Structure formats: C-alpha cells, structure tokens
Amino acid sequence: MIQSLEYFLSGLGVALEPTNLLFCFFGVLCGTLIGVLPGIGPVATIAMLLPVTFYLTPVAALIMLAGIYYGSQYGGSTTSILMRVPGESASVVTCLDGYEMARRGRAGSALAIAALGSFFAGIVGTMLNVLFGPEFARIALSFGSAEYFGLMVLGLSVSIVMSHGSMIGALGMVCLGLLLGSVGRDINTGFPRLTFDLPELSDGIGFVPLAVGLFGIAEVMRNLDAGEAFTGMVQKIGRLWPSREEGRRATPAVLRGTLLGTLLGILPGGGSILASFTSYGLEKRLSRRPQEFGNGAVEGLAGPESANNAAAQASFIPLLTLGIPPNAVLALLVGGMMIHGITPGPTVMTEQPALFWGLIASMLIGNIMLVIINLPLVGIWVQFLKIPYRFMFPAIFLFCCIGVYGVNSSSFEVLLAVGFGLLGFLLSKLGLEAAPLVLGFVLGPLIEDHLRRALTLSDGDPTVFATRPVAAVLLLLAVLAPCLVLLPQFGRRRREIFQEEA
C-alpha cells in the first residue's frame, strides 16, 4: 500500500506537467459542457474526439478522454436540476428530486449537494484505484490465455444482462460486434474475411469510423428526429450552499452512494446508470420519510449523484488492470489506447508506469477542477442551454467527418462512418442499444486471440477451459449470469430501472 502511494505521488508529477494539466482541464471542461447540453453525451463526444488524440502523447490523450467521461457525470446534474432534462443518462434519477428542490427555491442547495457529493465520491473512487489497482494487476498477471478468454466472455455476458431492453436484442448486438471485429485479414493465415473484395477492408474496420458513426452521427440524427423543445427551466438559482439540516441528511446518503457506486462500477455492463438507480431505490427503502421521494428529498439527490460518480471512477479499475472495458465509454478509451499502440491490461502498469499512474493521479486533479468549474460558473452553463440545436448539429456533423477523414485521409472511412451512423439511428428506432455492439467489436479480436492461443498451448484440447479452475469458474459465471433475469426479483428490478430511465 505504501509503495502504491509512492507510485501515485510520482504519477502526480506526470499529471502536473503543463501539457497534461492543460488537457486534463480541457477534458473536464468539455465533459461538463456536454453533460450540461442535453442530447450529446460522453460516448458521442469521445467518439468525435478520438481522431484528435493522434496528435497527442498517449498520457495527454487518455487524461483528456477520461476527464470527459467523469466530467460529464458532474455536468449532467445541472440540466436535471434546473430543467428536469438529464444532460446524460446517468443523471436521469437526479431529475426526480433535484428538479423538485429547485422548484421549491432550493436550486442552489441542490447544485451544491450534487457537486460536493460527486467530488467526495470521485476522490474516494480515485484512491481506490490507487490502493486496489496494483492488486488487480498482480492477479491478472497470473492469468493465462484460457483465463483471459473466460474473463472476456464473462464481461460480454454481464454486459448483455445489464443492457437496456431485450436480452435477445443485446445478444444480437454482441454477435454483430464480434462479426464486425472479425472483418479483415486473418492475422495467422492472411486469408481475407468478410472483405467483399474491397481493398479498404483488408485491414479491418477502423475503430474511429465505427465509434464516430454509431455515436456521433447517429446522435445527431436522433436529436433531429426527437426535436428540441426544452421547457420549464428554473430561473432562480438561490444560495449556493446547503443548510445544516440538508447537509445532515445528505452526508449518510453520499457515503452509501459512494460505496454502492464503487462496487457496481467495477462490474462489466453496470456503471453509472445502474449505480444511480440502485442508490435511489436503496435510499427510498432506508428513509424514514419515503413519501418525500419524488418531491424534493435530499437523500434522493445526494445518493444517486455520489453513486454515479463513484461508479465512473471505479470503472477504470477493470479497464486499467484487466483490459476489460465495463461500459461503452471505456470501450472507446480502449480504442484510444490501441490507436497509440498500447495493449490494455496488467502489463500497462509495469511497462508504462508513467501512463498508468499519471492517468490515475489526473483524476484527483480533475475532480478538484470540476468543483471549481461547476459551482461558480453555473450561470455560464445555463446560458449554453439557450443555444438552438439547429445551430449546433451542422458543426457536430462536420467535425465528425473531418475527424474521420483526418485519421487515414480516406473518403471510404467517411462513408463508412455515415453508414454506421444510419445503423445506429436504425438501432435506436428498434429499441436496440449500440453499447454491446461496441464491446463485442473491441473484445472480439482479443477473445479470438486468447482462444487460439489457449488451444495452441493445449495441442487443440478444448478441455483446457474446464481443467483450469479459474477459467472454468469464469465461463460458468458467464453462462449463469443471463439466468439471473429468470429470478423474479432481479428480473422485476431490471425492468423497473430501464422503465424509469425511459
């Protein structure tokens, strides 16, 4: 533990370098802005900014992308509280009691509770990365190909269970992602797969056009289709500090939300959305005043806001130590690492300690920046809400196309991104989520690689996955995870969460 703290201090030196500090500030500022603006979201923003990372150092690029992710958790609470419009999906629960507090003249208190609770949860999540990240990495270093195969299959299985809507649809999206990930020449035989004799596909489908299309361009289409009518905005902010009674009620909720969010953030497919809804349900059950929930309960705001930020920070643990992205946003970060030739997993900590510890240390700095950005500048963020979307979408679409073209100077990839944009829009119309597709696309080549390697080392004996205890347990859990939905209580709670979010 002492050694981890020493490494963390060295990481602070990396994070405090002027360039890295600048991109940390840009990341959290951009994250706050896209969290405030409804209809954009961190996934679309990171997808659009991926091409920019080609021109940055790996440390600066990942610090910026990570800042966008956890910064959006902060910014999303502003529109939820003032307008009852969630800036991003994890802030849906904040609408329930945050907006009611604002309507009763306590908007300032609500914003302060959300920001301070998020700050505490973010700091705790960062320190857990410091303390437990190396332990996860040591365990992961003992894994062989069979164990990694089981772990990645488990990640996909849990993501199917935790995805929105139909599990059959989520399974289909994972399979489609695996299929798209197999396009290109076989790395062992050089035989072309699913290229349709197009030379542009011989190296496979690029991650940037897929991500920008599915999330950036598709998001523009969805917003134009949905319209842009935002009404009911609270005009008066009031005093930006909670009363003593509000602080007394918020404190235990923040602590519970932080603990719950940390545990759920580590799970693949869990993340901020599940953490915020679960925290709200827990606070309502524990409260002596359950009738206040939905009418301005402080606990109903403090708990979920802390939970979604703790989950955002904790989700970096499996990403950095095991190479498993728990959600779609961090799958994009895996893409960003691969762009720079970095293989995500436990070797990152040993082979590139400056990147590993610099990224973790930047989260501490970023959380401090976010408190400064969110509370004093809330009036400025409110002004951004008045920008009509018809002025924003042409710039977003143009930026998407320029970014994709700039990667390989390929007009084919621009057309590919537009095609994936149409696919993403169609999937949303069918009620299907694109996140499992991205996870399948990112993990597919890794799963294939570890499967082949495990079979090669065992001379083609498939029982290697049963005779190695850890691999067998992981694969058994992967099979059992979808069976949880058959349990009445779990299945009912899963439906309630996604119905409330909708």
Side-chain angles (χ1 to χ4, degrees):
M1 186 177 294
I2 294 176
Q3 189 178 28
S4 295
L5 292 174
E6 290 175 353
Y7 286 137
F8 177 70
L9 291 176
S10 67
L12 274 177
V14 175
L16 288 172
E17 291 178 5
T19 301
N20 296 334
L21 199 61
L22 175 65
F23 282 102
C24 179
F25 178 76
F26 176 78
V28 297
L29 183 69
C30 184
T32 300
L33 179 58
I34 61 102
V36 167
L37 292 172
I40 300 179
V43 180
T45 304
I46 290 176
M48 288 186 288
L49 288 177
L50 272 178
V52 177
T53 63
F54 277 91
Y55 308 101
L56 305 178
T57 64
V59 178
L62 292 178
I63 285 176
M64 180 186 73
L65 296 178
I68 293 172
Y69 175 42
Y70 59 81
S72 68
Q73 310 300 316
Y74 278 74
S77 62
T78 302
T79 49
S80 297
I81 291 170
L82 298 181
M83 297 177 61
R84 203 183 176 115
V85 176
E88 52 88 42
S89 54
S91 299
V92 171
V93 182
T94 307
C95 296
L96 302 177
D97 287 284
Y99 182 70
E100 291 301 320
M101 287 181 67
R103 285 185 60 199
R104 287 164 169 74
R106 295 153 59 200
S109 296
L111 290 167
I113 289 171
L116 295 174
S118 298
F119 172 72
F120 175 80
I123 295 298
V124 170
T126 300
M127 296 315 297
L128 287 174
N129 277 321
V130 173
L131 298 176
F132 296 107
E135 297 303 321
F136 270 86
R138 289 189 189 98
I139 294 171
L141 284 171
S142 66
F143 279 19
S145 292
E147 286 79 12
Y148 265 111
F149 173 77
L151 184 65
M152 291 178 183
V153 171
L154 175 61
L156 290 180
S157 177
V158 176
S159 71
I160 291 171
V161 175
M162 297 299 183
S163 64
H164 300 204
S166 166
M167 281 183 54
I168 301 297
L171 176 62
M173 289 298 95
V174 166
C175 292
L176 179 59
L178 293 172
L179 191 67
L180 293 172
S182 67
V183 173
R185 293 189 179 276
D186 187 293
I187 57 174
N188 292 326
T189 65
F191 188 80
R193 302 184 299 189
L194 302 175
T195 59
F196 303 101
D197 293 326
L198 293 173
E200 293 88 353
L201 292 178
S202 59
D203 291 329
I205 295 173
F207 182 78
V208 171
L210 180 134
V212 171
L214 279 178
F215 297 108
I217 296 175
E219 193 70 22
V220 171
M221 294 179 181
R222 282 192 290 269
N223 290 331
L224 291 175
D225 182 63
E228 51 170 324
F230 299 134
T231 58
M233 180 173 172
V234 175
Q235 300 295 330
K236 186 178 179 182
I237 303 297
R239 186 172 66 115
L240 276 173
W241 198 256
S243 66
R244 181 175 296 181
E245 173 63 16
E246 289 170 335
R248 184 188 65 79
R249 293 176 58 179
T251 300
V254 167
L255 295 174
R256 287 189 292 265
T258 300
L259 177 61
L260 183 65
T262 300
L263 295 175
L264 293 177
I266 297 174
L267 295 176
S272 303
I273 300 173
L274 181 65
S276 59
F277 278 98
T278 305
S279 174
Y280 189 81
L282 175 66
E283 293 303 324
K284 190 172 183 178
R285 289 190 179 186
L286 295 178
S287 177
R288 297 178 182 177
R289 299 174 284 265
Q291 69 280 1
E292 288 188 14
F293 281 72
N295 296 295
V298 174
E299 299 89 343
L301 169 66
E305 273 297 305
S306 303
N308 71 41
N309 279 273
Q313 305 286 335
S315 60
F316 282 90
I317 294 177
L319 172 69
L320 293 175
T321 59
L322 303 175
I324 305 295
N327 53 53
V329 182
L330 294 187
L332 298 182
L333 258 72
V334 169
M337 295 173 76
M338 290 179 172
I339 284 172
H340 288 276
I342 301 168
T343 302
T347 55
V348 173
M349 187 182 72
T350 55
E351 295 178 1
Q352 303 199 46
L355 183 145
F356 182 91
W357 292 106
L359 176 59
I360 291 178
S362 73
M363 296 178 192
L364 177 66
I365 298 169
N367 276 281
I368 295 172
M369 288 178 175
L370 281 165
V371 173
I372 298 172
I373 289 172
N374 273 269
L375 287 180
L377 302 182
V378 66
I380 296 176
W381 302 126
V382 170
Q383 297 304 314
F384 279 105
L385 299 174
K386 299 177 181 178
I387 301 175
Y389 193 74
R390 64 179 181 272
F391 296 140
M392 294 174 58
F393 86 83
I396 295 173
F397 183 78
L398 180 63
F399 186 75
C400 287
C401 294
I402 292 174
V404 172
Y405 183 81
V407 174
N408 294 313
S409 300
S410 170
S411 57
F412 177 80
E413 291 195 341
V414 175
L415 295 176
L416 203 60
V418 173
F420 279 120
L422 292 171
L423 174 62
F425 178 71
L426 178 62
L427 292 178
S428 67
K429 284 294 186 181
L430 295 174
L432 298 173
E433 193 180 10
L437 188 156
V438 175
L439 290 176
F441 181 83
V442 170
L443 294 180
L446 298 174
I447 288 175
E448 180 186 4
D449 181 45
H450 286 296
L451 174 63
R452 284 182 165 185
R453 194 176 300 172
L455 291 174
T456 300
L457 293 174
S458 65
D459 294 325
D461 184 7
T463 60
V464 65
F465 300 106
T467 55
R468 294 178 70 97
V470 175
V473 170
L474 291 171
L475 289 172
L476 179 62
L477 290 174
V479 173
L480 293 177
C483 299
L484 285 173
V485 180
L486 301 177
L487 297 177
Q489 186 173 3
F490 183 88
R492 183 171 61 252
R493 182 58 188 152
R494 181 178 180 273
R495 287 191 297 272
E496 288 174 357
I497 288 175
F498 298 136
Q499 286 170 1
E500 288 172 3
E501 185 184 344

